[in-house]
Amino acid sequence: MKTLFILLFVSLALIFPISQVHAKESTELRKQRQAAQQERQAEKTDRNRESAEARKSFGEFTRSLKPEYKALLKEVDIEFELTQVDLQADRAAKIAEAEAEYQKKLTSAFLHPDGAMNTDALKKMEQEAKAHSDELFRLKEEAAQIAHTEKAASEKHKHVLLQEMDTRAIDEVVSLGLTKKSEPIVATPIGGELTRQEKQWNEREKKDIERTHVRNLRTIREFKNGEKIRAWELNNLDEDFHLKWEEKRELHTIQSQQIFYSTLLMQAAQGKDINQQEVIAKFAELAKHTKLVKIKFDTIRKKESIIRRGEKKKLQES
């Protein structure tokens, strides 16, 4: 029994000093961890402030940059508009002359010596009228192509200026460090391993770094993607022009026939022997074809508009 008391006394004597040392160590570790946390928080606050200041500085830079290039783009537009005035005048003069010639030839084709017009005579006159009409249309399309080429050249000139603006903006954002992803300020083990709070800090820090990096890159997205979007828009300009004149070409074929048959009706009113019922039936058929052509190209444009919305969104977000 005595031996048992001695062992118990020795055990208590050993346990209490160790507990006191352990308590002292826990307090010291807690202080070290708190100090490390405060240091990390201070570093993070400084980093976030620097990032916010860089974004603000970039915003101020672009607000002064854009008006500068807007003025230069306006000069290009004015130059193009002045060129267009001359082109339109030249085009109008040529078309007016061609239309007058077309009217003279169309009228002379109907000056048939006999009161009656047989099938062969009408067919020949229709062919001649179509040839004159096609030539007039060719002149109009040729003039439009020249104007479109000038427009595309003007747009390319503007694109050079805008690319210069984009390059300056990107150089500025790089110099401000906004394109570089920051290194995370992570907690390191103190006294053996990370605490639960330190692990949570590290996870949040990684997410914050990624979120800030994405946010910073978003500030230069319009400048980074500008060249791709402008090239896409220029290609659309070409596609729209060709589609427009493809539609005009199909409508022209119908309209030239409508003009011919209108003239026939006028001849009938002047006593010429013309089958008016056939002519009116032909008019109805041509009107139907006109509607079908317009429906066809309207459908193409609507589908193209939907496709382009998706394409532009992808370009803006890439």
Side-chain angles (χ1 to χ4, degrees), residues 48-60 172-173 176-178 216 219:
N48 291 346
R49 185 184 67 255
E50 290 173 2
S51 181
E53 288 175 352
R55 285 194 298 272
K56 181 181 178 182
S57 177
F58 181 66
E60 293 171 350
E172 178 68 12
V173 86
L176 291 169
L178 287 171
N216 289 343
T219 63

Side-chain angles (χ1 to χ4, degrees), residues 23-24 83 207 271:
K24 185 176 181 180
T83 302
K207 291 179 181 178

Side-chain angles (χ1 to χ4, degrees), residues 9-205:
F9 177 78
V10 171
S11 298
L12 291 172
L14 291 172
I15 289 171
F16 280 112
I18 292 174
S19 297
Q20 292 173 359
V21 170
H22 179 69
K24 185 176 181 180
E25 286 182 353
S26 296
T27 301
E28 185 63 30
L29 286 174
R30 189 161 53 252
K31 288 181 180 180
Q32 290 178 20
R33 286 173 178 143
Q34 288 174 347
Q37 172 62 24
Q38 290 173 353
E39 185 178 347
R40 287 193 300 272
Q41 187 60 58
E43 288 181 25
K44 183 172 182 176
T45 300
D46 289 342
R47 183 193 67 202
N48 291 346
R49 185 184 67 255
E50 290 173 2
S51 181
E53 288 175 352
R55 285 194 298 272
K56 181 181 178 182
S57 177
F58 181 66
E60 293 171 350
F61 177 81
T62 57
R63 280 193 291 276
S64 64
L65 183 69
K66 288 180 178 180
E68 176 186 343
Y69 281 87
K70 185 177 180 180
L72 294 174
L73 295 174
K74 185 63 178 176
E75 290 178 9
V76 176
D77 283 335
I78 291 172
E79 183 181 348
F80 169 69
E81 288 169 7
L82 290 172
T83 302
Q84 280 292 88
V85 171
D86 291 333
L87 287 174
Q88 287 170 357
D90 183 59
R91 178 169 69 244
K94 287 180 179 179
I95 290 174
E97 184 179 347
E99 285 177 337
E101 188 65 23
Y102 169 61
Q103 287 297 328
K104 285 191 291 185
K105 289 178 178 178
L106 182 63
T107 302
S108 65
F110 279 94
L111 295 178
H112 198 276
D114 302 322
M117 293 185 182
N118 58 40
T119 303
D120 290 340
L122 285 174
K123 186 175 181 180
K124 183 180 178 181
M125 283 191 293
E126 185 175 1
Q127 289 173 345
E128 290 177 356
K130 183 179 184 307
H132 301 321
S133 179
D134 287 348
E135 175 60 17
L136 178 58
F137 181 82
R138 186 192 67 77
L139 288 173
K140 290 180 178 179
E141 185 174 12
E142 184 181 80
Q145 179 63 63
I146 292 171
H148 173 70
T149 300
E150 287 292 329
K151 174 68 174 175
S154 176
E155 288 301 308
K156 287 176 182 177
H157 186 183
K158 288 161 68 175
H159 289 182
V160 171
L161 292 172
L162 289 169
Q163 185 57 38
E164 181 183 294
M165 180 187 74
D166 289 348
T167 299
R168 286 177 61 183
I170 291 172
D171 288 346
E172 178 68 12
V173 86
V174 169
S175 71
L176 291 169
L178 287 171
T179 57
K180 185 179 179 182
K181 185 185 291 188
S182 302
E183 290 295 326
I185 303 168
V186 297
T188 54
I190 296 176
E193 62 181 13
L194 293 172
T195 65
R196 183 171 64 86
Q197 288 82 2
E198 288 170 339
K199 290 178 181 178
Q200 291 174 343
W201 165 277
N202 287 351
E203 287 300 317
R204 286 196 304 272
E205 176 65 4

Side-chain angles (χ1 to χ4, degrees), residues 221-238:
R221 185 179 288 168
E222 65 173 296
F223 304 101
K224 177 175 171 287
N225 298 334
E227 186 175 11
K228 290 185 291 185
I229 292 173
R230 288 190 293 272
W232 174 79
E233 288 175 341
L234 192 59
N235 183 66
N236 289 344
L237 187 68
D238 279 335

